[in-house]
Structures are given as structure tokens and as C-alpha cells.
Amino acid sequence: MNVPRVNHTTTRLADGEVLVAGGSNRTSGYLASAELYNPATGKWTLTGSMTIARAGHEAVLLPNGQVLVAGGFDPNTCCTAPPLASAELYNPATGTWTATGSMTTGRESFALTLLSNGKVLAAGGFNNGALSSAELYDPATGTWTATGSMTGSVNNDAAALLQNGEVFGGDNLYHPSTGTWTATSSPTVGGGTPIVLLPNGNVWTAANIQGGSIYNPSTNQWTNFPPPPVHNAQSKLRECRSAAGALAGF
């Protein structure tokens, strides 16, 4: 990348390029800059900067090809004020950003999911503690409205849209038709846990050294598997990559 960064977002665009936005580094602090990766050339190029610097935010590709970015922290309020409620849109056709409606609740490290109806669900995250609230963004109006809250405070920043249109958020399932949540059967999926929708419609989650689990939405049941033996950090990394590849056909 042109600018080193952590706590940024990475979004694949409709044309196959990848947008990286915001984040932070030790030299510049919080970043508003963004750049594009071209898989065909293997090169990065700078694009327009966000309207404000932010890190710990979330991003999602909209059906119209634009990218919605919301929440996170900015350099002026980090650690002394609640996280951002503001949101903005990236237009790949012009390489520019424009502000859109703000969320009803500022949040960082939350789950942002595009629904089958074109709306976007923001759920959980942090704002002076873990949040259970959720809200919906309507790209047609550029506004957010509150929807049902989760069954408990959830700090996981990952979710998956299931084949039936519901959203899997670890401990919770969101039902867009009713705007309500129901609890899934255990185990609990902790914060920062990867969530991957598999080709067969099941969901895979990793639980770090505790092993991993696969959730079957049709039965509301989990299948657990133990972690591989860990001899050192390098062998753990190789084994985890191999297991992830094998799970694609589970």
C-alpha cells in the first residue's frame, strides 16, 4: 500500500478492485486517505480521501456499486468521547466521498451487513460498553432507522447473510421480515471471531485456541471441532490455513 495502516476497512468493488479506507499508523495517526488495489496489475493507487479521518469503522458494498462507511473513531474524540455516528459514501466512478445520514447510535467495531432487500444492517459494537442495539440504512433515502435489539450485548464485528435472507451474528439471528432477533443455540461466538458463510449454507466460525464450530441454520445446531496441535507459532499458522481451506467443502 502507499500508506501503512491498521484498523482500516477492505472492500471488494464491483469491478474487482479493492478499496482500503481509513485506519491509523504511528506516523500520521488516524487516516482519512483511501487507496485501490488492482489485482490485474498487483499495484495500489491513491483515490479520494474520506470526509473525515476514522479507524475502527465498518464498510459494505451497496447494490449500486458505491461503498458505505460508518462509525469508528476520529482523532479529535478518540478515547474521550463516544464513537462516531457519521457515515459516508464512496463513488468508484468519481473516486470521491460524500456524507450521508448519520446512524442513530455512534458505534465502533460493529457488524455491517447488506440485506437481500438492499438495506444495510448495523448491529452491536461498542459505545461505552458493548451494544445490543441495531439499525437499518436505506440507500434510497440516505437515512438510518432503529430496528429490534439483539438478545444480548454482542461485541463481535462480523456477521453473515444466510441463504434464507436472515443475518447470523454469532449468538443471534436477525429476521428482516419482522425486524426481530432470536438467540441461536450455544456455543457463544466471542468478539473478533471470524464468521464465514460456506457454499452449503452453513456458517463456520473460528474460536482461536479453543477450536472452531460450524452452525447449521436449518437445524439451529452446532458442530464443534478441536484445535490442531500447536508446536510453535509458525506451525499453528500453517495448520489453521490448511484447516480453513479444507472447510470450504465441509
Side-chain angles (χ1 to χ4, degrees), residues 101-125:
S102 294
M103 294 187 290
T104 63
T105 302
R107 60 185 81 222
E108 56 94 12
S109 300
F110 56 100
L112 195 64
T113 310
L114 177 67
L115 304 180
S116 300
N117 60 10
K119 294 184 178 181
V120 178
L121 173 70

Side-chain angles (χ1 to χ4, degrees), residues 114-138:
L114 177 67
L115 304 180
S116 300
N117 60 10
K119 294 184 178 181
V120 178
L121 173 70
F126 285 92
N127 184 330
N128 193 31
L131 296 169
S132 62
S133 65
E135 50 193 295
L136 294 169
Y137 176 76
D138 187 343

Side-chain angles (χ1 to χ4, degrees), residues 53-117:
R54 61 178 83 216
H57 52 291
E58 303 296 337
V60 69
L61 180 68
L62 300 178
N64 63 3
Q66 295 188 5
V67 177
L68 172 68
V69 163
F73 285 110
D74 76 22
N76 298 315
T77 62
C78 176
C79 309
T80 62
L84 296 166
S86 65
E88 50 191 297
L89 296 167
Y90 176 74
N91 187 337
T94 61
T96 57
W97 297 81
T98 56
T100 187
S102 294
M103 294 187 290
T104 63
T105 302
R107 60 185 81 222
E108 56 94 12
S109 300
F110 56 100
L112 195 64
T113 310
L114 177 67
L115 304 180
S116 300
N117 60 10

Side-chain angles (χ1 to χ4, degrees), residues 156 158-164 166-173 184 187 189 193-206 212-225 247-248 250:
N156 196 43
L161 180 67
L162 302 179
Q163 293 177 348
N164 62 5
E166 296 179 346
V167 177
F168 173 85
D171 299 350
N172 288 256
L173 283 174
T184 65
V189 177
T193 302
I195 293 176
V196 179
L197 181 66
L198 301 177
N200 63 0
N202 291 343
V203 180
W204 173 74
T205 69
S213 303
I214 288 180
Y215 175 73
N216 186 328
S218 62
T219 63
N220 191 31
Q221 297 297 317
W222 292 84
T223 301
N224 302 319
F225 54 91
L247 282 170
F250 190 92

